[in-house]
Amino acid sequence: ALFDTARAERIGLLTEVVAPGDLDATVNRVVHDHLQAAPGAVADTKALIAYVASHDLETNMIYTADRLADAWETEEGIEGINSFINKGVPSWRVK
């Protein structure tokens, strides 16, 4: 092997290394966490990734900053920020 899992994690190819017996539970936890994301934010992130993949760095920086500022002003963004500040649960999260 070129390198082991510890090195793969250290260089950023993996975000987490778990024992084989813990794999299913870890996958379920990661999927559950991702499903807790705001639906609009997920769609906007997918669109942002598609945009960034086809534009230069300077354009991407401006576009990304603009999209982030716009996201903070949406109902979903405001609810998410307020939920975070007040340690509450936004409406899209499974309780």
Side-chain angles (χ1 to χ4, degrees), residues 3-15:
F3 47 84
D4 61 13
T5 55
R7 181 162 184 229
E9 183 178 30
R10 193 171 51 257
I11 65 175
L13 292 177
L14 302 173
T15 57

Side-chain angles (χ1 to χ4, degrees), residues 36-55:
Q36 299 299 310
V42 172
D44 291 346
T45 300
K46 288 179 180 181
L48 178 64
I49 291 168
Y51 183 91
V52 167
S54 62
H55 292 82

